[in-house]
Amino acid sequence: MDIATILGIISGFGLIVFGIGFGKLGNFIDPQSLAITIGGTLAVMVAGAPGEILKAIPKHMKIAIGGKKYDPKFYIELIVDLAQSARKNGLLSLEARAEEIEDVFLKDSVLLIVDAIDSDKVKQLMEEELNYLDERHARAFGFYELAAGTCPAFGMIGTLIGLVNMLKGLNIEGGGAGDIGPAMSTALITTFYGSLFANVVFFPIANKLKVRHAEEMLCKQMIVEGILSIQSGENPKFIKEKLISYLSEAEKADLAESAQ
Amino acid sequence: MDIATILGIISGFGLIVFGIGFGKLGNFIDPQSLAITIGGTLAVMVAGAPGEILKAIPKHMKIAIGGKKYDPKFYIELIVDLAQSARKNGLLSLEARAEEIEDVFLKDSVLLIVDAIDSDKVKQLMEEELNYLDERHARAFGFYELAAGTCPAFGMIGTLIGLVNMLKGLNIEGGGAGDIGPAMSTALITTFYGSLFANVVFFPIANKLKVRHAEEMLCKQMIVEGILSIQSGENPKFIKEKLISYLSEAEKADLAESAQ
Amino acid sequence: MDIATILGIISGFGLIVFGIGFGKLGNFIDPQSLAITIGGTLAVMVAGAPGEILKAIPKHMKIAIGGKKYDPKFYIELIVDLAQSARKNGLLSLEARAEEIEDVFLKDSVLLIVDAIDSDKVKQLMEEELNYLDERHARAFGFYELAAGTCPAFGMIGTLIGLVNMLKGLNIEGGGAGDIGPAMSTALITTFYGSLFANVVFFPIANKLKVRHAEEMLCKQMIVEGILSIQSGENPKFIKEKLISYLSEAEKADLAESAQ
Amino acid sequence: MDIATILGIISGFGLIVFGIGFGKLGNFIDPQSLAITIGGTLAVMVAGAPGEILKAIPKHMKIAIGGKKYDPKFYIELIVDLAQSARKNGLLSLEARAEEIEDVFLKDSVLLIVDAIDSDKVKQLMEEELNYLDERHARAFGFYELAAGTCPAFGMIGTLIGLVNMLKGLNIEGGGAGDIGPAMSTALITTFYGSLFANVVFFPIANKLKVRHAEEMLCKQMIVEGILSIQSGENPKFIKEKLISYLSEAEKADLAESAQ
Amino acid sequence: MDIATILGIISGFGLIVFGIGFGKLGNFIDPQSLAITIGGTLAVMVAGAPGEILKAIPKHMKIAIGGKKYDPKFYIELIVDLAQSARKNGLLSLEARAEEIEDVFLKDSVLLIVDAIDSDKVKQLMEEELNYLDERHARAFGFYELAAGTCPAFGMIGTLIGLVNMLKGLNIEGGGAGDIGPAMSTALITTFYGSLFANVVFFPIANKLKVRHAEEMLCKQMIVEGILSIQSGENPKFIKEKLISYLSEAEKADLAESAQ
């Protein structure tokens, strides 16, 4: 579980409720406004997005709140361990090891070098797979960023509807000014919803998916580097150093500490 | 038929109508406002866009609402089948097969390798064709995105026209305040139209065309990869694995399932 | 003449006039507002743009309204014809042909291969010239896009001037409210002008110049491809096929039709 | 200490206080508004940002106000000095020198060439490390730029809350107009906070981090260039000239002066 | 002197003054508003920008108003002249010529080929220097573009300050409405200043610096091309043709004319 995402979104909403004041919360509950803003946004997203992404929404939610999954330290250790195996017992010995590997990308990569596929081809295959992964993920972020952009637009459309309806029937000189306040209040609620959902829901999800993607890409790039190094028979110690250079200073320090 | 696009746009409009309230729908029907907003947008699009794109609008509409056409699974099977043919009966045997292929790009590609054109040249020819396809399609999305950006601008111009006309004749002290409401209401309708058409019509079309383009490009890149692999005499099983690596996890699972 | 651009801009203005209503057209004619918005935009453009672009404005206008000049079909035929000449009578025979070619870029390219310049150098020279052309043209679009962005800014500055002047002298309790309407109306006219000229004049011009540029670049890239193919002695039929792959499906069909 | 950053931010706030007027400062202190604007921004940042960046905030602050750390002149002198050592006493002599080098990247690079690693590999290793550094830093700027973008959004949400609450209870004809002023004033404070923190805090921090990053990258690129030149045994004088070409005219003049 | 920049900025301000009306100029002079808008912008720029750029502001101003300095025609003639010298008297003869060359980049480049440095290295050295020049200049434009973006933000902050102060003390029913006009007028002046300085000062400066940079880069790329061609002993006539291909049609015509 990624406490930060859940905590962030909950405390975001909490601060808004605090800003509104508990007693006035009723002013901001308006199902019709919600239908226009969120319903309209969803309708447009359904209209414009690919079916695959709509089906993957539950998976995205799980990723966004599901905690870090790709830990570079884990992969460094695993790859170095595979490199030592390969050094001692030969590349073919990795076939048995591959069985236990859960990460499908790493497993497939290990099997490629076990099959003695030409090094350039292995590299090309792995990099192409990463490119398509990158494109697919970028479309997923793009979906939530688009939702974050569409949501305030429907908020504004809702407010315009409210304003037009109010103004059309307005008769200031006939004493109608008394209705302006509450009517404008209702009209503004859709703008509020649009801004709220964009900033407290859609943008954080898009950002978190980007973070998870960056972690996954880093680990997968390490796998590419590591597998090619194992295939070319490099020294496990040197492979480790190479993979460590992918890390930040803080992670390097962290790794050095946990190694003691 | 792509149910999602049609359903999305219809339910988008439906939610707006619900937000307005059926009884007040008349407040939002104003042919003059529609003429300024949509007419103005179209006028500007005609002025700035290339003739080819204007002529292709009906085709774009058909693509946007016409359902998925490029299915990677279909292409994987077809290419692997061609690869097996080539293996058994030689590259020349593909000439007869090419006749039945409906996809013009695949057909032309097969004929290139039947003609024993040099592999580098085949690659270059196919990739150049994809590049130009990519550029042409990008101009098509760009057209609808531009329309989506121009539409609210004309909405604002319409509102400014309404406001200036109203304010010019305004005589608050002479009792003119009573006309402000209805006049402002009419002025705001163009802003409403601009925002509505941008978000419920033009953006979803642009997005759907992008989705269809991404699907087409993926399949065409698979064709390039597959045709070059067939030409170099690769094992059909290996070609299949290579093409599968273009797919998402979900599609891979899907393919594995349908293979049983 | 490019009917579309002129028709688009004229009907854009026409729709605006229709929106205003003929009788109220006088409300929107205000020379001082025009001076601030358009004058200010021009002043800033003169201040920031390179002299070459300012001098080239009449040329840009001519291009924007002057109709399609670069027709890929014309160039395909011409290049294939040159290729046949070169095949039959040798590369040197192209020297005489070059004299009749109006397109300076094609003419110079033909002379390069007549001079038996090394193929790599020909390619480099032609591609560099295209790169600089691309950069120069991009600066030209950029100029009109910048104008389109600056124009509404001056519109807003004008409106702020009007508002500040009006508010400074306002004495609501002294009965000054009656002047608010007309004064605000005048203040808003600059915003109207800014939005109008940006969307009905500057953006369409920028877009049309981009369209013309894309057509020119396509033809010039065909020339590069064609000239290099002629130099390397390729089969005219094959050159034709290669050049046709640059075209859209519609243009291909068009070409096939006109060939019958 | 980087006087400029601190001075800039302090004088930014000072000018705002001056603009408000000391006597009216109380109008702008509203803890609830602060909670919504800053609290909401932080909540969203926590929700969407990677844990590593949240932990690194104190480090970022130190960098932003901590003065220039990477001085190209220092590195030029150090690298040229190492080059002279290597020339006189051989590459192995650099091992002892490496011990005293504080910059970890330079130290590791020196050890790579002492270990007689192949030149292409050294280059690849160093450049990859720089690429990952670049990506990591870009995520850090991105964090503060995102905060600068989120802050005004929460300011607007706060203002909408204030407006809706005020308008809901408004009864103009019942004499409620007297409360509009102060209530709107409070509602606008969140917009003020959002704009203030974005422009006076988050953007300057993001910009300063970018400046520090550019300085660091320049020095590290000099190290790559220098180390590879030392390894290939180039003349120290020539290495110096090469590194100086990385500098601006002003820095070159500065260096020439200090050399006298 | 670059008349256009000065004339543009002056006539920009002139049109604004004309729009205000001479008699009402006093409405727009408010030192406190100026302190918030311009002072705040400067404070933030000082906080976030690198020291080098702050020091270079006078130099940038000189460049922006100082007229075209890099004339491609001048460089073509000079380079062709050097090429002829080299042809007749050998590369070493250029050493004496280098002494008279004022352009430091050209002079250093000539000395590189006099020193018989390897051609690939000369190319690499010169291109790297251009890359760093490009980056440094981009940071300079970026500074003025950032200022142009920050200025309206401070304008808005100033207006919010004015509005909050006015609204806080507002007592409509107590007869306070009479103060609204002048107070709002003052509040809006900062928005006016922000928009004015962004559009009439900062953006034109940024644009002019970009223009000057493009001119400088063009000439320096010609120098790279020319120097490498001289080193490889190419025909001066051919070098000239190559350099001319960098020019626009208008400049080519211009050059042809002045050659007669």
Side-chain angles (χ1 to χ4, degrees):
Chain A
M1 283 286 283
D2 186 336
I3 297 294
T5 306
I6 298 170
L7 207 83
I9 291 186
I10 288 176
S11 61
F13 275 111
L15 281 157
I16 298 296
V17 170
F18 166 72
I20 291 173
F22 288 98
K24 295 180 175 171
L25 214 56
N27 290 351
F28 289 84
I29 295 174
D30 187 57
Q32 200 173 7
S33 298
L34 202 63
I36 298 177
T37 315
I38 300 301
T41 302
L42 293 184
V44 163
M45 297 315 291
V46 167
E52 289 82 45
I53 286 184
L54 297 174
K55 273 184 233 151
I57 290 176
K59 200 182 114 197
H60 296 152
M61 294 304 106
K62 243 173 87 185
I63 292 170
I65 65 170
K68 192 171 183 168
K69 203 175 133 198
Y70 286 89
D71 179 2
K73 282 171 252 157
F74 169 78
Y75 283 94
I76 292 179
E77 273 164 39
L78 183 51
I79 293 167
V80 171
D81 191 38
L82 290 172
Q84 281 163 338
S85 260
R87 265 240 153 159
K88 261 190 256 155
N89 316 311
L91 274 178
L92 285 179
S93 75
L94 294 182
E95 190 158 19
R97 292 289 314 264
E99 292 308 302
E100 321 148 9
I101 300 174
E102 276 184 42
D103 183 306
V104 179
F105 183 71
L106 178 51
K107 188 180 184 172
D108 288 355
S109 306
V110 167
L111 290 177
L112 282 176
I113 59 172
V114 167
D115 286 356
I117 310 271
D118 175 60
S119 161
D120 281 346
K121 234 174 196 166
V122 171
K123 195 180 174 195
Q124 191 206 334
L125 272 176
M126 292 173 85
E127 286 183 347
E128 253 173 27
E129 188 156 351
L130 284 197
N131 283 344
Y132 285 103
L133 184 76
D134 204 31
E135 274 183 32
R136 272 200 311 275
H137 284 186
R139 277 201 288 272
F141 323 146
F143 177 78
Y144 293 96
E145 288 181 328
L146 197 65
T150 303
C151 211
F154 272 93
M156 205 190 97
I157 289 175
T159 296
L160 285 167
I161 290 175
L163 287 177
V164 168
N165 274 339
M166 178 196 81
L167 289 165
K168 204 77 181 188
L170 187 69
N171 185 352
I172 293 179
E173 298 187 331
D179 304 331
I180 294 182
M184 271 200 67
S185 161
T186 309
L188 285 176
I189 289 177
T190 53
T191 297
F192 168 77
Y193 282 149
S195 211
L196 186 68
F197 282 92
N199 285 287
V200 183
V201 178
F202 293 123
F203 269 130
I205 289 175
N207 290 332
K208 203 74 186 196
L209 290 179
K210 274 185 198 167
V211 168
R212 291 292 169 249
H213 171 65
E215 289 164 3
E216 182 173 346
M217 285 305 277
L218 183 72
C219 288
K220 292 203 163 159
Q221 282 161 345
M222 282 181 161
I223 291 175
V224 174
E225 184 77 51
I227 285 295
L228 292 172
S229 301
I230 292 176
Q231 191 177 27
S232 68
E234 279 176 23
N235 186 327
K237 218 189 122 223
F238 182 67
I239 295 176
K240 188 172 186 175
E241 266 177 40
K242 229 164 41 170
L243 296 183
I244 285 174
S245 79
Y246 283 61
L247 301 181
S248 69
E249 302 290 311
E251 286 170 316
K252 280 178 198 166
D254 209 32
L255 193 73
E257 213 166 80
S258 70
Q260 291 171 345
Chain B
M1 282 286 282
D2 186 336
I3 297 293
T5 308
I6 297 170
L7 207 84
I9 291 186
I10 288 177
S11 61
F13 275 111
L15 282 158
I16 298 296
V17 170
F18 165 72
I20 290 173
F22 287 99
K24 295 179 176 173
L25 214 56
N27 291 352
F28 289 84
I29 296 173
D30 188 57
Q32 199 172 6
S33 298
L34 203 63
I36 298 177
T37 316
I38 300 300
T41 303
L42 293 183
V44 163
M45 296 316 290
V46 167
E52 290 82 46
I53 285 184
L54 297 174
K55 274 185 233 151
I57 290 176
K59 199 181 115 198
H60 296 152
M61 294 304 106
K62 241 173 90 183
I63 292 170
I65 64 169
K68 191 171 181 168
K69 204 176 131 198
Y70 287 89
D71 179 2
K73 281 171 252 157
F74 170 79
Y75 284 94
I76 292 179
E77 272 164 39
L78 182 50
I79 293 167
V80 171
D81 191 38
L82 291 172
Q84 281 163 340
S85 261
R87 266 239 152 161
K88 261 190 254 155
N89 316 312
L91 275 177
L92 284 179
S93 74
L94 294 182
E95 190 157 18
R97 294 288 314 266
E99 292 308 303
E100 321 148 11
I101 300 173
E102 277 183 43
D103 183 306
V104 180
F105 183 71
L106 178 51
K107 189 180 183 171
D108 288 356
S109 306
V110 168
L111 291 176
L112 282 175
I113 59 172
V114 167
D115 288 355
I117 309 271
D118 174 60
S119 160
D120 281 346
K121 236 174 194 164
V122 171
K123 196 180 174 194
Q124 192 206 334
L125 272 175
M126 292 174 85
E127 286 183 346
E128 253 173 29
E129 188 156 351
L130 284 197
N131 282 344
Y132 285 102
L133 184 76
D134 202 32
E135 274 184 31
R136 272 201 310 275
H137 283 186
R139 277 202 287 272
F141 321 146
F143 175 78
Y144 293 96
E145 289 181 328
L146 198 65
T150 303
C151 212
F154 272 93
M156 204 190 97
I157 289 175
T159 296
L160 285 167
I161 289 176
L163 287 178
V164 169
N165 274 339
M166 178 196 80
L167 290 165
K168 205 76 179 189
L170 187 68
N171 185 352
I172 292 180
E173 298 187 332
D179 304 330
I180 294 182
M184 271 200 67
S185 161
T186 309
L188 284 176
I189 288 177
T190 54
T191 297
F192 168 78
Y193 282 148
S195 212
L196 186 68
F197 282 92
N199 284 288
V200 183
V201 177
F202 294 123
F203 270 130
I205 289 176
N207 290 331
K208 203 74 187 196
L209 289 179
K210 273 185 199 170
V211 168
R212 291 291 169 250
H213 170 66
E215 289 164 3
E216 182 173 348
M217 286 304 277
L218 183 72
C219 288
K220 292 202 163 158
Q221 281 161 345
M222 282 181 162
I223 292 175
V224 174
E225 184 78 50
I227 286 295
L228 293 171
S229 302
I230 292 175
Q231 190 177 28
S232 69
E234 280 175 22
N235 187 327
K237 220 190 118 219
F238 183 67
I239 295 177
K240 188 172 187 175
E241 267 177 39
K242 229 166 41 170
L243 296 184
I244 285 174
S245 78
Y246 282 61
L247 301 180
S248 68
E249 302 289 309
E251 287 171 315
K252 280 178 199 167
D254 210 32
L255 193 73
E257 214 166 80
S258 71
Q260 291 171 345
Chain C
M1 281 286 281
D2 186 338
I3 296 293
T5 307
I6 297 170
L7 207 83
I9 292 185
I10 288 177
S11 61
F13 275 111
L15 281 158
I16 299 294
V17 170
F18 165 71
I20 291 173
F22 288 97
K24 297 181 173 169
L25 215 55
N27 291 351
F28 289 84
I29 295 173
D30 188 56
Q32 198 172 8
S33 298
L34 203 63
I36 298 177
T37 315
I38 301 300
T41 302
L42 293 183
V44 163
M45 297 316 291
V46 167
E52 289 83 45
I53 286 184
L54 297 173
K55 273 184 235 152
I57 289 176
K59 200 181 114 198
H60 296 151
M61 294 303 106
K62 241 173 88 183
I63 292 171
I65 64 169
K68 192 170 181 168
K69 203 175 132 198
Y70 286 89
D71 179 2
K73 281 170 251 158
F74 169 78
Y75 283 94
I76 291 179
E77 272 163 41
L78 183 50
I79 293 167
V80 171
D81 191 39
L82 291 171
Q84 281 162 340
S85 262
R87 265 238 154 162
K88 261 189 254 155
N89 316 312
L91 276 178
L92 285 179
S93 74
L94 295 182
E95 190 158 18
R97 294 290 312 266
E99 291 309 302
E100 322 148 11
I101 300 173
E102 276 183 43
D103 183 305
V104 179
F105 183 72
L106 177 52
K107 188 180 184 172
D108 288 355
S109 306
V110 168
L111 291 176
L112 282 175
I113 59 172
V114 167
D115 287 355
I117 309 269
D118 174 60
S119 160
D120 282 345
K121 236 176 195 165
V122 171
K123 196 180 173 193
Q124 192 206 335
L125 271 175
M126 292 173 85
E127 287 183 346
E128 254 173 26
E129 187 156 352
L130 284 197
N131 283 343
Y132 285 102
L133 184 75
D134 203 31
E135 274 183 30
R136 273 199 312 273
H137 283 186
R139 278 201 287 272
F141 323 144
F143 176 78
Y144 293 96
E145 288 181 328
L146 198 64
T150 303
C151 210
F154 271 93
M156 204 190 96
I157 290 174
T159 296
L160 285 166
I161 290 175
L163 287 177
V164 168
N165 274 340
M166 177 195 80
L167 289 165
K168 204 77 179 189
L170 188 67
N171 184 352
I172 292 180
E173 299 187 330
D179 303 331
I180 294 182
M184 270 199 68
S185 161
T186 309
L188 284 176
I189 288 176
T190 53
T191 297
F192 168 77
Y193 281 149
S195 210
L196 187 69
F197 282 92
N199 285 288
V200 183
V201 177
F202 294 122
F203 270 129
I205 289 175
N207 290 332
K208 204 76 187 194
L209 290 179
K210 274 185 199 170
V211 169
R212 292 289 171 250
H213 170 66
E215 289 164 2
E216 182 172 349
M217 286 304 277
L218 183 72
C219 288
K220 293 203 162 159
Q221 281 160 345
M222 282 181 163
I223 292 174
V224 174
E225 184 78 50
I227 285 295
L228 292 172
S229 301
I230 292 175
Q231 191 177 29
S232 69
E234 279 175 22
N235 186 326
K237 218 189 122 221
F238 183 67
I239 295 177
K240 189 173 186 176
E241 268 178 39
K242 231 166 39 172
L243 296 183
I244 284 174
S245 79
Y246 284 60
L247 301 181
S248 69
E249 302 289 310
E251 286 171 317
K252 281 177 199 169
D254 209 32
L255 193 73
E257 213 166 81
S258 71
Q260 291 170 344
Chain D
M1 283 287 281
D2 185 336
I3 297 294
T5 307
I6 297 169
L7 207 83
I9 291 185
I10 288 176
S11 61
F13 275 111
L15 281 159
I16 298 295
V17 170
F18 165 72
I20 291 173
F22 287 98
K24 295 180 174 171
L25 215 56
N27 290 351
F28 289 84
I29 296 174
D30 187 58
Q32 199 173 8
S33 298
L34 203 63
I36 297 177
T37 315
I38 301 300
T41 303
L42 294 183
V44 164
M45 297 316 290
V46 167
E52 290 82 45
I53 286 184
L54 297 174
K55 273 185 232 154
I57 290 175
K59 201 182 113 196
H60 296 152
M61 294 303 106
K62 244 174 86 182
I63 292 171
I65 63 170
K68 192 169 182 170
K69 203 175 133 197
Y70 286 89
D71 179 2
K73 282 171 252 158
F74 170 79
Y75 283 94
I76 291 179
E77 273 165 39
L78 182 51
I79 293 167
V80 171
D81 191 37
L82 291 171
Q84 282 163 341
S85 262
R87 265 239 153 160
K88 260 190 255 153
N89 316 311
L91 275 178
L92 285 179
S93 75
L94 293 182
E95 190 158 18
R97 293 288 314 264
E99 292 308 302
E100 320 148 11
I101 299 173
E102 276 184 44
D103 183 305
V104 180
F105 183 71
L106 178 52
K107 188 181 186 171
D108 287 356
S109 306
V110 168
L111 291 177
L112 281 175
I113 59 172
V114 167
D115 287 355
I117 309 269
D118 174 61
S119 161
D120 282 345
K121 236 175 194 165
V122 171
K123 196 181 173 194
Q124 192 205 334
L125 272 176
M126 292 174 85
E127 286 183 347
E128 254 174 26
E129 187 156 351
L130 283 197
N131 282 344
Y132 285 102
L133 184 76
D134 203 31
E135 275 184 31
R136 273 200 310 276
H137 283 186
R139 277 203 287 274
F141 322 147
F143 177 78
Y144 293 96
E145 288 181 328
L146 198 64
T150 303
C151 211
F154 271 93
M156 204 189 96
I157 289 175
T159 296
L160 285 167
I161 290 175
L163 287 178
V164 169
N165 274 339
M166 178 196 81
L167 289 165
K168 203 77 181 188
L170 187 68
N171 185 351
I172 293 180
E173 299 186 333
D179 303 332
I180 293 182
M184 271 199 66
S185 161
T186 309
L188 284 176
I189 289 177
T190 54
T191 296
F192 168 77
Y193 282 149
S195 211
L196 186 68
F197 282 92
N199 285 288
V200 183
V201 178
F202 293 123
F203 269 129
I205 290 176
N207 290 332
K208 203 74 186 194
L209 290 179
K210 274 185 200 168
V211 168
R212 291 291 170 250
H213 170 66
E215 289 164 3
E216 181 173 349
M217 285 304 279
L218 183 71
C219 289
K220 292 203 162 157
Q221 282 160 346
M222 282 181 161
I223 292 175
V224 174
E225 184 78 50
I227 285 295
L228 292 172
S229 302
I230 292 176
Q231 190 177 29
S232 68
E234 280 176 21
N235 186 327
K237 219 190 120 221
F238 182 67
I239 295 177
K240 188 171 186 176
E241 267 177 41
K242 228 163 43 169
L243 296 183
I244 285 173
S245 80
Y246 283 61
L247 301 181
S248 68
E249 302 289 309
E251 286 171 316
K252 281 177 197 167
D254 210 32
L255 193 74
E257 212 165 82
S258 70
Q260 290 171 345
Chain E
M1 282 286 281
D2 185 337
I3 296 294
T5 307
I6 298 169
L7 207 82
I9 291 185
I10 289 176
S11 61
F13 275 111
L15 281 158
I16 298 295
V17 169
F18 165 72
I20 292 173
F22 287 98
K24 296 180 173 170
L25 215 55
N27 290 351
F28 289 83
I29 295 173
D30 187 58
Q32 199 172 7
S33 297
L34 203 64
I36 297 178
T37 314
I38 301 300
T41 302
L42 294 184
V44 163
M45 297 315 291
V46 167
E52 290 83 45
I53 285 184
L54 297 174
K55 271 183 235 154
I57 290 175
K59 200 181 114 197
H60 295 152
M61 294 303 106
K62 242 173 88 183
I63 292 171
I65 63 170
K68 192 169 181 169
K69 202 175 133 196
Y70 286 89
D71 179 2
K73 282 171 252 159
F74 169 79
Y75 283 94
I76 291 179
E77 272 164 40
L78 183 50
I79 293 167
V80 172
D81 191 38
L82 291 171
Q84 281 162 341
S85 261
R87 266 236 153 163
K88 262 190 254 154
N89 316 312
L91 276 178
L92 284 179
S93 75
L94 294 181
E95 190 159 19
R97 292 290 312 264
E99 292 309 302
E100 320 148 13
I101 299 173
E102 275 183 43
D103 184 306
V104 179
F105 183 71
L106 178 52
K107 188 181 185 171
D108 288 356
S109 305
V110 168
L111 292 177
L112 281 176
I113 59 172
V114 167
D115 288 355
I117 309 269
D118 174 59
S119 159
D120 282 346
K121 237 176 193 164
V122 171
K123 197 182 174 194
Q124 192 207 334
L125 271 175
M126 291 174 84
E127 286 183 346
E128 254 174 26
E129 187 156 351
L130 284 197
N131 282 343
Y132 285 102
L133 184 76
D134 203 31
E135 275 184 32
R136 272 199 312 274
H137 283 186
R139 277 202 287 273
F141 322 144
F143 176 78
Y144 293 96
E145 288 182 327
L146 198 64
T150 304
C151 211
F154 272 93
M156 204 189 97
I157 289 175
T159 296
L160 285 167
I161 291 175
L163 287 178
V164 169
N165 274 339
M166 177 196 81
L167 290 165
K168 203 77 179 189
L170 187 67
N171 184 352
I172 293 180
E173 299 186 330
D179 303 332
I180 294 182
M184 269 199 68
S185 160
T186 309
L188 284 176
I189 289 177
T190 53
T191 296
F192 168 77
Y193 282 149
S195 211
L196 186 68
F197 282 92
N199 285 288
V200 183
V201 178
F202 294 123
F203 269 129
I205 289 175
N207 289 332
K208 204 74 188 195
L209 290 178
K210 273 185 199 168
V211 169
R212 293 288 171 251
H213 170 66
E215 289 164 3
E216 181 172 349
M217 285 305 277
L218 184 71
C219 289
K220 292 203 162 158
Q221 281 160 346
M222 282 181 162
I223 292 174
V224 174
E225 184 78 49
I227 285 295
L228 292 172
S229 301
I230 293 176
Q231 191 178 27
S232 68
E234 279 176 22
N235 186 327
K237 218 190 120 222
F238 182 67
I239 295 177
K240 188 172 187 176
E241 267 178 40
K242 230 166 39 171
L243 296 183
I244 285 174
S245 79
Y246 284 62
L247 300 181
S248 69
E249 302 289 311
E251 286 170 317
K252 281 177 197 167
D254 210 31
L255 193 73
E257 213 166 81
S258 70
Q260 291 170 343

